[in-house]
Amino acid sequence: MSSNRFRGRCRLSRTLFGGWVRLERASAIASTGLLLSLAACESPQPRGTVVIGVESGAGALLPVIEQGSLDAEINSLLYLGLNSQRWEDGALKYRIDELSLAERWEYSGDSLALTYELRRDAVWSDGLPITSTDVVFTYELIRRPEIASPRVDHWENLDSVVAVDDRRVTFFFNRRYPGMLFHTGVGIIPAHVFEDHVTDHAALAGHPTLSEPGGQLVVSGPFQVAEWRRGDQLTLVPNAQAFTASPRLERVVFRIITEETTRLVELENGSLDVIFPTPVSAAQKLEADPRFRIESVTQRYYDYIGWNGASFEPFADPEVRRALSLGIDRQAILNGLAIAPYARSAASPYPPIFRQLADPSLEPDPYLPDSAKTILAARGWKDSDGDGVLDRDGQAFTFTLLIPAGNQRRSSAAQVVQAQYSGLGIAVEVREVEFNALLEMMFGTREFEAVLMG
């Protein structure tokens, strides 16, 4: 390995399957945790490059409109929030540290108001100070329906966000609840860059500094964007104006390699330092190779099928959705994908690692195809014309299931589901869509019938 590359070959994987099945014991680590551990530095001089192979590229380098987990991981290195959040013993812990915009917070006597005081040395990468105006702007942007922010639920219990002065901002809540620190920890964006150019989601996503961010994207975190070649790679370098601890690395490069076999080959030949996701089928081989290190986080992720009742009316019926759940043999998926040692069936949309949310007494739906058929028949779905597909009032029970392109695990799972539903008289077309285009269909246009995501 050349001396300027990241020392210590390691692997970052996300070999996860849930929703129907959840990862029980996986070779996985949160990429934020890895990259931020590389960001804090005892030495003032960053050295070396880490090259990370990913299956799809970033979508939006802005916290208020980020969609995928990769967006969130990268944005956490570019934009700081008022508080710092760390995962410890099954829960998020909140604190003020070198990766926080604020230097303190304080609750009101009734805990319905939370005031942050910003650091005096907090500046944007263009040298301008970060003020409470930026905080208010960020949160007002999140609540605007035309922006379609995936974080809009943060306003469910928020009444208002008010700038007390340049350095103090207060969040007023309608009630006290455990997520108050979480919902006030969003990465803050610069008002002076975006406030005069934002009309809707498209205008914000198409802002020049996001379309061509190399060297001009205004950030607050330890890294900034040096180059972004969409569909190819994204390069981060230290933010020269950062008021946080200096990064350990000279560059972090995310290379898009959609084919998992190619990612593995490039890891093995030394072209990559880190890859994710990684197929479970490769785990044993990599574990036996002393060049690689596998970090494990159990019970963290799940995969699911999302039913869009607005696009395909039968999915709006909860009894139909119940039948669809009973019609999936989760164990067959685990066995067929050879991931049974690493995963188990899921019983809820909360992975067990979230101990405050997950209910260990819940059991996953059993595989009861006969019961599924009975429910569908009771809801009026019958094969009236003998073509093997259920129908009702002239409508055939046939739909398209979207999956992210290049994800072999989800592709294989979708094919198993397709076969199982065929036995119920339901015709499923499986279609692959580029990841960021799929996110836009899910959260932007909402033009999809069903989707397999995680």
Side-chain angles (χ1 to χ4, degrees), residues 99-131:
L99 294 175
S100 310
L101 284 179
E103 62 183 25
R104 62 185 296 268
W105 73 65
E106 181 179 8
Y107 282 98
S108 61
D110 60 5
S111 298
L112 290 176
L114 175 58
T115 299
Y116 287 90
E117 186 171 335
L118 275 66
R119 295 172 51 149
R120 296 179 185 275
D121 60 349
V123 295
W124 294 109
S125 56
D126 62 2
L128 293 180
I130 301 173
T131 71

Side-chain angles (χ1 to χ4, degrees), residues 30-52:
S31 52
T32 299
L34 173 68
L35 294 179
L36 288 183
S37 72
L38 298 174
C41 183
E42 297 178 2
S43 169
Q45 297 299 323
R47 295 187 303 172
T49 295
V50 61
V51 182
I52 304 172

Side-chain angles (χ1 to χ4, degrees), residues 264-296:
L264 284 168
V265 169
E266 295 216 25
L267 177 72
E268 292 173 336
N269 69 22
S271 298
L272 298 174
D273 298 301
V274 178
I275 63 173
F276 68 97
T278 299
V280 173
S281 58
Q284 291 184 340
K285 177 183 177 182
L286 291 172
E287 286 176 331
D289 191 324
R291 296 178 300 163
F292 305 110
R293 187 180 78 236
I294 294 178
E295 304 275 349
S296 295

Side-chain angles (χ1 to χ4, degrees), residues 405-422:
N407 190 309
Q408 186 56 52
R409 187 187 71 254
R410 289 178 183 158
S411 175
S412 299
Q415 292 173 40
V416 175
V417 172
Q418 182 185 48
Q420 292 174 350
Y421 280 173
S422 178

Side-chain angles (χ1 to χ4, degrees), residues 2 84 103 109 312 393:
S2 59
S84 183
E103 62 183 25
F312 188 62
D393 300 329

Side-chain angles (χ1 to χ4, degrees), residues 187-205:
I188 302 303
I189 67 174
H192 66 282
V193 173
F194 295 102
E195 60 185 346
D196 294 332
H197 305 280
V198 178
T199 55
D200 55 23
H201 179 93
L204 181 58

